[in-house]
Amino acid sequence: TSESESKEDLKPEKSENLPSNRAVEWPVSQVSRWVKNLNEGIETYGKLFKAQGINGGRLLKMSKKDLQDIGVDKLGHRIRLYKEISMLRSQNNLEESESTGLVDLYMKGIVSWDYRDVATWLENIGLFEYRETFIKSKVNGSKLVRFSKKDLQELGVSKLGHRLRLSLIHI
């Protein structure tokens, strides 16, 4: 029945498999499950986070204003979610100030990025899985803007959507 299906959809999933100390790597589905596991009225926002495409990297960067902007209307819920996100930041050894790092990077200019800046940018855009490969290959901003889709594939970016996303970075 549709009533039992909707109840099942809101039922929290087990969190044993959620690596909270690696939340920056969480895909959208894991963020949604994490929110659903918060309970106390907060779990209903799991679908909202999924619909907004909030992955772990984006979650860790969210402010109270961001929560309001995506539709968390109740002040108490925003405060609770923000507190939970802050605890995740701590578990991931991130400071709140790191959430502004992306703006600083763009102000610096892509072509002047060193390989550490590129790694930080990959984390911020939710492509954490390529961070180590790009660091080992010393991919800096100047190289990044010149990569073709084929270059990215040879570097190990196997998913077409990720190659397309990264190939949009040009001078």
Side-chain angles (χ1 to χ4, degrees):
T1 66
S2 64
E3 186 177 316
S4 65
E5 286 173 10
S6 63
K7 285 181 182 176
E8 189 64 31
D9 197 33
L10 290 176
K11 187 178 177 183
E13 298 178 31
K14 300 240 184 239
S15 64
E16 294 90 41
N17 296 326
L18 298 178
S20 61
N21 65 330
R22 302 294 297 263
V24 72
E25 299 176 54
W26 288 356
V28 172
S29 60
Q30 265 185 306
V31 170
S32 178
R33 282 195 304 272
W34 175 78
V35 173
K36 287 178 183 179
N37 280 312
L38 293 177
N39 299 321
E40 299 175 28
I42 304 296
E43 72 275 5
T44 58
Y45 294 110
K47 287 182 179 180
L48 177 66
F49 277 70
K50 189 173 188 175
Q52 294 292 327
I54 306 296
N55 63 19
R58 290 185 191 102
L59 176 70
L60 294 173
K61 307 286 182 211
M62 292 189 83
S63 67
K64 290 177 189 169
K65 172 90 168 81
D66 294 331
L67 292 170
Q68 185 173 16
D69 289 347
I70 68 164
V72 180
D73 296 325
K74 294 182 178 180
L75 177 61
H77 289 173
R78 280 196 306 274
I79 291 169
R80 168 88 194 286
L81 272 166
Y82 189 75
K83 182 179 177 184
E84 295 289 341
I85 292 168
S86 295
M87 288 191 300
L88 267 181
R89 278 191 201 107
S90 295
Q91 292 172 359
N92 286 267
N93 298 316
L94 296 174
E95 299 288 327
E96 185 175 3
S97 62
E98 290 182 52
S99 65
T100 62
L102 197 55
V103 173
D104 295 337
L105 280 178
Y106 284 120
M107 293 296 288
K108 185 176 178 180
I110 295 172
V111 293
S112 63
W113 291 356
D114 63 20
Y115 69 93
R116 291 176 299 255
D117 294 330
V118 171
T120 299
W121 173 74
L122 287 168
E123 288 179 33
N124 277 282
I125 65 166
L127 296 177
F128 183 87
E129 64 262 40
Y130 305 113
R131 185 180 184 279
E132 290 306 314
T133 302
F134 277 56
I135 289 172
K136 286 179 187 172
S137 300
K138 302 263 190 228
V139 175
N140 61 24
S142 181
K143 289 179 186 176
L144 180 66
V145 297
R146 289 175 177 80
F147 275 156
S148 68
K149 291 179 196 102
K150 185 178 179 190
D151 294 331
L152 291 167
Q153 189 170 16
E154 289 173 3
L155 192 60
V157 181
S158 57
K159 295 179 182 176
L160 176 61
H162 292 174
R163 287 194 306 273
L164 292 172
R165 190 169 175 193
L166 289 169
S167 67
L168 293 175
I169 306 303
H170 292 286
I171 307 173

